[in-house]
């Protein structure tokens, strides 16, 4: 198996870890439903990668659908839940701003990655992997020189040059990494 001791895994949240809420936003833990086999995958990924972070656009905050404190509580509950199950998420980074604002932290812009590098100085973007289900996730990874992995399912038309690998779920990625 390839060594991942110096690599960082960046994960999108909605559509990669949990089910998207069609026509809305996951606002509370009761609405947060893991995608199939994601818990198992996160446990295995925590054993492979020394740094594992989530980067997520959450414009529902600026739209007034949830408070920033509610979002933080949701992420704290998610991190605690996955830790209790044997997995690990080192930190969750989020952009609460509306897409029209042009915020530098909103994917595909890269400020969340630089926040992560500030918190985890060992991050080397050229040795990192970005896993997402949308064009903006993959553009984020490409801008930083990361390997990009598409999780299929959103139904969005995505140009093949934006991703290096594509899978139906995170556990498939784990199996691929373990065989590499």
């Amino acid at each position: 198996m390839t060594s991942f001791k110096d690599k960082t895994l960046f994960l999108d949240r909605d559509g990669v870890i949990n089910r998207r809420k069609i026509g809305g936003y996951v606002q509370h833990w009761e609405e947060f439903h893991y995608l199939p086999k994601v818990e198992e995958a996160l446990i295995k990924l925590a054993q492979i990668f020394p740094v594992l972070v989530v980067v997520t656009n959450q414009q529902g905050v600026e739209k007034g659908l949830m408070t920033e404190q509610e979002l933080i509580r949701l992420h704290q509950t998610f991190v605690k839940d996955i830790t209790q199950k044997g997995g690990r998420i080192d930190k969750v980074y989020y952009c609460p701003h509306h897409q029209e604002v042009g915020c530098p932290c909103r994917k595909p812009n890269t400020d969340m990655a630089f926040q992560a590098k500030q918190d985890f100085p060992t991050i080397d973007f050229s040795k990192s992997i970005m896993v997402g289900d949308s064009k903006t996730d993959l553009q984020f990874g490409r801008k930083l020189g990361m390997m990009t992995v598409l999780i299929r399912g959103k139904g969005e038309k995505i140009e093949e040059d934006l991703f290096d690998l594509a899978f139906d779920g995170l556990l498939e990625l784990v199996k691929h990494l373990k065989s590499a």
Side-chain angles (χ1 to χ4, degrees):
M1 180 169 92
T2 304
S3 172
F4 293 93
K5 68 179 180 356
D6 60 347
K7 296 188 184 323
T8 299
L9 186 65
F10 287 80
L11 297 164
D12 177 46
R13 195 190 85 181
D14 302 325
V16 173
I17 295 171
N18 63 286
R19 282 190 219 130
R20 294 182 163 283
K21 187 174 177 185
I22 305 302
Y25 299 90
V26 175
Q27 299 171 42
H28 306 284
W29 179 245
E30 299 74 36
E31 301 171 322
F32 189 97
H33 303 287
Y34 291 107
L35 287 167
K37 303 191 187 238
V38 161
E39 293 155 294
E40 180 184 349
L42 288 175
I43 292 165
K44 291 178 179 183
L45 289 167
Q47 297 165 357
I48 296 171
F49 290 92
V51 179
L52 211 154
V53 298
V54 172
V55 287
T56 180
N57 290 338
Q58 293 296 323
Q59 68 180 353
V61 172
E62 191 162 280
K63 288 182 172 183
L65 301 173
M66 69 183 111
T67 67
E68 195 161 358
Q69 275 312 113
E70 288 171 326
L71 180 64
I72 290 168
R73 271 195 302 279
L74 171 65
H75 288 155
Q76 288 170 337
T77 304
F78 155 59
V79 169
K80 182 179 178 186
D81 182 66
I82 209 64
T83 300
Q84 289 173 339
K85 293 175 178 172
R88 185 187 84 251
I89 297 292
D90 294 302
K91 192 152 183 184
V92 177
Y93 299 90
Y94 62 90
C95 176
H97 305 111
H98 195 279
Q99 63 189 16
E100 275 108 42
V101 173
C103 177
C105 70
R106 185 174 175 79
K107 293 180 291 180
N109 297 323
T110 56
D111 271 15
M112 283 191 279
F114 288 103
Q115 290 171 26
K117 183 154 179 61
Q118 195 168 29
D119 293 337
F120 303 95
T122 60
I123 290 176
D124 178 343
F125 298 129
S126 70
K127 294 179 180 178
S128 296
I129 301 171
M130 175 63 203
V131 181
D133 71 329
S134 72
K135 190 174 188 172
T136 56
D137 297 328
L138 303 172
Q139 289 169 328
F140 167 89
R142 282 288 190 243
K143 284 181 179 184
L144 294 158
M146 295 181 190
M147 171 187 268
T148 55
V149 177
L150 172 66
I151 298 298
R152 299 182 199 105
K154 187 174 180 182
E156 181 180 19
K157 175 69 178 139
I158 297 178
E159 298 82 15
E160 287 188 15
D161 65 336
L162 282 178
F163 58 92
D164 300 296
L165 300 168
F167 301 102
D168 291 328
L170 271 183
L171 194 56
E172 285 183 44
L173 170 62
V174 171
K175 291 174 182 173
H176 173 80
L177 293 174
K178 286 193 169 201
S179 69

